[in-house]
Amino acid sequence: MTDDYEWAGPNANIAKVLDKYCYGASRPPFALMLDGAWGCGKTWFIKRFFEEKKKNRISDKELGMIYVSLYGIQDAEEITKAIYAAMHPILGGKIGELGKVVFKGLLKSTLKIDLHHLENGKADLSAVLGIPDNTGNKDRIFRNRILVFDDVERAKMPVSDILALVQPLVESHEDRVILVANEKDIAADSEVERDRYDRVKEKTIYLSLHLTPDIERTFKKFITENKKSILISFIEKNKEYIYDLIIKSSCNNLRVIDFFKTFGEDLLEYTYKEIDNIVCARNILNVLSILYGVIIENSINKNTFDDLHHIMLFDFNEKFAKDIFSDEYYENIKEKHSKIREKPYFPMMKDQQNTVRIMYQFIKNGILNPDERSYLSNIISNEIYIPAYKKIHSYQQYDKNEYNKLLKEFLEEFHELNVQDDYELIKMCDIYLMLARLNISPFNEEPISTLETYIKRHFKKRLFNQEKDIEAYVDRIFLNEHSHSLMYIERGSESFKEILLFFSKEKNHFIKINVENYVKYKIKKEKALELLGMIKYNNYNYLTENPFLNKIDPSYFLEILNDLIGYSRDMAFSTLNHRFKQSQNTSNPLHPEKEWFEQLHQKLIELINHKHTHPLHRETLKRDALTLYDRIKTT
């Protein structure tokens, strides 16, 4: 081989060391380890090294490489058969028959060896890979051979036993052995075996070379060596963006690119539109970014769709996430969020969570259903419905006819009352006030009166008359708190302030007459603890100023409280303690809960005194009672 290791990229030094180890004049009596994470290109690298050696060889003596995968190998006999099959690929299927001639002594010796005692010198290791003759000398079958053992960590036999088999091969200074593995995974589930491996390794391996994933060359190969397709053609036109995505994603598993190619080609076949259109091309890149991200997060980082969904929730509202997650799960999601938030695909995933869901199902099922194909096609072709108020807010350049059409569309949406939350409702009012200020008819005709009627109609439509109304809007109305810091065009104007004040009054009135239905809904859905979590914060005034605990059966409430542990349980009873104190005041809005707290106290006492209550549980209940009723004797 020449000194040109350009093909090895960032691993050129490893190629030099391999060349020196395999073909150098000085041959140490040890094996060599090629280490690297799963998917980083170890197998490709080692095979490419010998391919280059074959092309640039000085003599045929340099071709004595035998490659064997140890994936699933259970014992020395299977290693022997795998080696024989690699040496005789044409006759490998007849190992059992031909082995009697070629490996007669080898098989016999191998089957008799207790591998767990090899390191103690209780067996003649040279017999494993050599055949004794009549004089006692051994005809070394593997003289001047290079044996490559790949997938070492995936063997089903102890790796320390594999090293014990390797030692007699290399100690003669004649043969070379290269072990290819993700070394950190060797005996990862057994401290005893890992310790044994480390001890045997000291006697057998003199260097561990860590392979660096060659992302740049893999990407070039991905483009140049694959058959031209819609995806490859598209990537060639946008290779800087895709390459930047791959590099900044910091994923060293090169197989992800192959997964990306397979699913990406299917995706564009399903959703292909005008690929040369600038807008469509941008949307395709966004969808492909989400696909790449979902492959990494699911296949490499082992995140489920629920994990991804909760990571998004954490990103949008960390305080709310802390309320609804258990302490352990909250910390888990927090850690996952810290790892994903800097990834280049994360912003797109946040903006298109439905696309994330579709991509997750896609890589699980390998196919998109018609609705999913239609949805993605619409995203790519920019045909997803955009509310008129958003179009007006964006100040796009339209001609007069388009403006008139847009204003008509906005007016129709205004009368349909299909807003999804507080923000959309106020935004509709915001746009309406802007149009009135610009003296555009009919928006300039009594805008305040019109908007007040509009807000009243909105809340009237949301009354809990039917189950479907509750399912569709209950949390959006009760949990949503519009922010005055959001971008409103008319923010600061007297008209906008007047509408905000009117909105707040109407919402408070709506909540007051519907809070009982809301509580019933939460209890029915077994989410009563969410109510308890929300009353810790003053921004949910409809719960902090309205009695609702008296709507919940005390026994049932104790059952759900019993599911809490540690800090969450202490916080729950501390919150209840504050509410209990308020209920004692006859002038306090929460006074109707006074009797409920007395019932809850009685239930706690019954549990504490029950003969079947475990002593440890009894102590927890006593502490809860003390936290909850620290002043009960004075009331």
Side-chain angles (χ1 to χ4, degrees):
M1 183 183 291
T2 66
D3 290 336
D4 181 12
Y5 300 103
E6 189 276 337
W7 64 269
N11 298 298
N13 286 338
I14 292 180
K16 291 179 183 179
V17 173
L18 281 175
D19 199 8
K20 182 179 179 181
Y21 173 75
C22 293
Y23 305 108
S26 175
R27 297 186 177 184
F30 301 105
L32 193 72
M33 171 74 78
L34 183 61
D35 174 43
W38 182 82
C40 73
K42 300 185 297 295
T43 299
W44 173 86
F45 182 85
I46 197 70
K47 289 185 175 181
R48 177 67 184 270
F49 171 81
F50 287 106
E51 287 174 5
E52 292 294 323
K53 191 67 183 178
K54 183 176 181 180
K55 288 191 295 186
N56 299 286
R57 68 186 183 274
I58 297 173
S59 71
D60 286 344
K61 291 182 179 180
E62 299 175 2
L63 300 182
M65 189 274 283
I66 302 170
Y67 173 87
V68 174
S69 172
L70 299 187
Y71 192 106
I73 291 290
Q74 301 189 61
D75 52 36
E77 180 183 4
E78 288 191 11
I79 293 179
T80 299
K81 292 180 180 179
I83 293 172
Y84 182 77
M87 292 179 66
H88 305 81
I90 297 177
L91 302 175
K94 301 180 180 179
I95 291 174
E97 180 181 348
L98 297 179
K100 294 176 183 178
V101 178
V102 182
F103 280 88
K104 183 177 180 181
L106 170 63
L107 292 177
K108 182 177 180 181
S109 300
T110 300
L111 290 172
K112 289 183 178 180
I113 290 177
D114 181 2
L115 295 177
H116 289 283
H117 297 290
L118 289 179
E119 62 184 275
N120 297 323
K122 294 183 179 180
D124 182 2
L125 298 181
S126 61
V128 176
L129 293 171
I131 302 176
D133 60 16
N134 294 331
T135 63
N137 295 320
K138 297 179 179 63
D139 177 16
R140 298 287 297 173
I141 297 174
F142 291 95
R143 184 186 300 274
N144 295 322
R145 290 280 194 171
I146 301 167
L147 185 60
V148 176
F149 282 141
D150 199 355
D151 302 311
V152 173
E153 77 279 20
R154 297 183 180 183
K156 291 185 178 180
M157 63 185 292
V159 177
S160 55
D161 288 350
I162 296 172
L163 295 188
L165 281 173
V166 165
Q167 180 59 34
L169 287 175
V170 295
E171 66 182 0
S172 66
H173 298 265
E174 294 178 342
D175 302 306
R176 307 295 84 210
V177 177
I178 301 170
L179 302 162
V180 183
N182 183 5
E183 195 170 9
K184 74 179 183 63
D185 285 346
I186 292 177
D189 57 350
S190 172
E191 291 186 12
V192 174
E193 175 55 29
R194 180 69 193 195
D195 180 67
R196 186 166 177 263
Y197 162 74
D198 288 336
R199 285 187 285 110
V200 177
K201 174 187 172 182
E202 293 178 3
K203 304 177 182 179
T204 311
I205 299 173
Y206 89 105
L207 270 182
S208 286
L209 305 174
H210 188 78
L211 196 75
T212 300
D214 192 351
I215 297 176
E216 181 178 359
R217 292 174 187 278
T218 301
F219 182 70
K220 288 180 179 178
K221 177 184 176 184
F222 171 58
I223 294 178
T224 58
E225 295 186 9
N226 280 298
K227 181 182 178 181
K228 287 291 181 281
S229 63
I230 295 174
L231 177 69
I232 299 300
S233 299
F234 180 76
I235 287 178
E236 284 182 323
K237 294 178 181 179
N238 300 275
K239 57 186 176 183
E240 290 185 6
Y241 177 94
I242 299 294
Y243 181 68
D244 195 51
L245 170 71
I246 292 172
I247 291 295
K248 290 183 177 179
S249 296
S250 303
C251 177
N252 292 331
N253 191 319
L254 302 181
R255 288 190 176 95
V256 168
I257 297 179
D258 291 326
F259 293 143
F260 177 64
K261 172 182 177 292
T262 301
F263 287 106
E265 286 182 351
D266 289 347
L267 180 65
L268 291 193
E269 287 288 345
Y270 284 135
T271 61
Y272 178 66
K273 289 285 186 179
E274 296 295 330
I275 204 166
D276 294 323
N277 180 283
I278 295 176
V279 175
C280 288
R282 180 195 63 207
N283 294 336
I284 290 171
L285 288 172
N286 288 341
V287 171
L288 289 176
S289 296
I290 293 173
L291 172 63
Y292 189 75
V294 170
I295 290 173
I296 291 176
E297 293 306 320
N298 178 249
S299 302
I300 308 302
N301 297 332
K302 307 304 180 185
N303 283 320
T304 66
F305 175 72
D306 284 343
D307 289 335
L308 295 176
H309 174 68
H310 291 146
I311 288 170
M312 308 300 179
L313 175 63
F314 180 96
D315 191 80
F316 283 117
N317 194 332
E318 182 177 348
K319 183 178 74 172
F320 182 64
K322 189 171 183 63
D323 288 340
I324 65 174
F325 297 155
S326 68
D327 291 346
E328 183 179 357
Y329 187 67
Y330 171 82
E331 292 300 327
N332 181 37
I333 290 298
K334 183 178 181 180
E335 182 181 357
K336 289 176 181 289
H337 175 261
S338 69
K339 293 178 180 179
I340 193 176
R341 65 183 178 183
E342 302 299 329
K343 301 298 183 183
Y345 45 78
F346 187 55
M348 275 82 76
M349 293 174 74
K350 284 199 305 180
D351 290 341
Q352 298 188 37
Q353 292 193 42
N354 196 38
T355 303
V356 174
R357 178 189 61 79
I358 291 173
M359 292 297 100
Y360 186 87
Q361 293 300 322
F362 185 33
I363 66 173
K364 287 295 184 183
N365 303 327
I367 194 169
L368 295 168
N369 65 44
D371 289 341
E372 292 169 339
R373 294 200 299 267
S374 176
Y375 179 86
L376 293 174
S377 181
N378 286 336
I379 284 183
I380 290 174
S381 61
N382 213 31
E383 293 176 2
I384 292 293
Y385 173 72
I386 300 174
Y389 83 84
K390 288 187 176 181
K391 295 178 184 177
I392 293 176
H393 191 187
S394 65
Y395 300 108
Q396 295 293 328
Q397 181 64 44
Y398 300 111
D399 60 30
K400 183 176 181 180
N401 289 332
E402 287 176 319
Y403 273 120
N404 290 336
K405 180 180 178 181
L406 184 57
L407 292 173
K408 181 181 178 181
E409 183 182 340
F410 173 75
L411 196 59
E412 290 174 353
E413 290 178 0
F414 183 81
H415 290 303
E416 287 175 358
L417 285 171
N418 284 330
V419 293
Q420 299 299 307
D421 52 34
D422 286 358
Y423 174 72
E424 282 199 5
L425 177 68
I426 298 171
K427 194 63 192 172
M428 291 289 283
C429 295
D430 180 41
I431 297 295
Y432 198 101
L433 288 173
M434 179 195 71
L435 297 174
R437 176 171 56 82
L438 297 175
N439 201 30
I440 297 175
S441 181
F443 306 99
N444 57 351
E445 301 171 3
E446 300 183 355
I448 298 298
S449 176
T450 302
L451 291 177
E452 287 178 349
T453 302
Y454 174 71
I455 291 170
K456 285 183 177 180
R457 289 177 55 228
H458 167 77
F459 284 114
K460 185 177 181 180
K461 182 179 180 180
R462 298 297 181 253
L463 287 176
F464 297 98
N465 295 323
Q466 299 181 35
E467 181 71 19
K468 65 177 183 178
D469 296 326
I470 300 177
E471 292 284 352
Y473 300 109
V474 65
D475 280 339
R476 288 179 182 173
I477 289 181
F478 278 83
L479 298 184
N480 187 263
E481 292 287 323
H482 77 274
S483 173
H484 295 284
S485 64
L486 294 173
M487 182 59 67
Y488 297 106
I489 299 170
E490 297 300 299
R491 181 185 175 192
S493 72
E494 292 303 317
S495 297
F496 188 69
K497 291 178 182 177
E498 185 176 349
I499 288 301
L500 275 183
L501 182 60
F502 184 84
F503 164 81
S504 297
K505 290 180 179 179
E506 287 297 310
K507 179 168 182 178
N508 287 337
H509 176 70
F510 170 85
I511 286 173
K512 184 175 181 179
I513 64 176
N514 285 281
V515 67
E516 184 173 339
N517 286 329
Y518 182 60
V519 171
K520 287 180 180 178
Y521 167 77
K522 284 295 185 182
I523 294 172
K524 180 179 179 181
K525 295 296 182 180
E526 298 183 347
K527 295 181 178 180
L529 281 179
E530 290 185 14
L531 299 172
L532 188 63
M534 288 187 290
I535 64 176
K536 290 190 293 184
Y537 303 103
N538 292 328
N539 53 325
Y540 298 111
N541 290 334
Y542 58 89
L543 289 179
T544 57
E545 297 176 358
N546 284 280
F548 70 88
L549 289 175
N550 50 317
K551 312 296 182 184
I552 306 174
D553 178 76
S555 297
Y556 164 71
F557 197 71
L558 280 180
E559 286 180 13
I560 58 177
L561 285 176
N562 200 45
D563 291 335
L564 298 178
I565 60 173
Y567 177 77
S568 297
R569 188 181 183 93
D570 293 341
M571 284 299 297
F573 278 93
S574 177
T575 301
L576 286 173
N577 171 264
H578 177 69
R579 199 168 178 98
F580 162 73
K581 294 172 182 177
Q582 290 179 298
S583 72
Q584 307 307 302
N585 188 338
T586 56
S587 63
N588 192 289
L590 298 180
H591 182 64
E593 292 183 351
K594 181 177 184 296
E595 184 179 347
W596 182 85
F597 275 105
E598 293 173 355
Q599 294 174 6
L600 186 69
H601 177 254
Q602 184 59 39
K603 295 294 181 183
L604 262 176
I605 298 301
E606 290 175 5
L607 277 174
I608 291 172
N609 296 327
H610 198 284
K611 63 179 181 179
H612 294 304
T613 301
H614 192 279
L616 287 177
H617 188 201
R618 184 176 291 116
E619 287 301 307
T620 301
L621 293 170
K622 286 179 179 179
R623 186 182 68 242
D624 294 338
L626 181 63
T627 303
L628 183 55
Y629 302 106
D630 57 354
R631 295 186 183 179
I632 197 166
K633 293 181 179 180
T634 65
T635 59

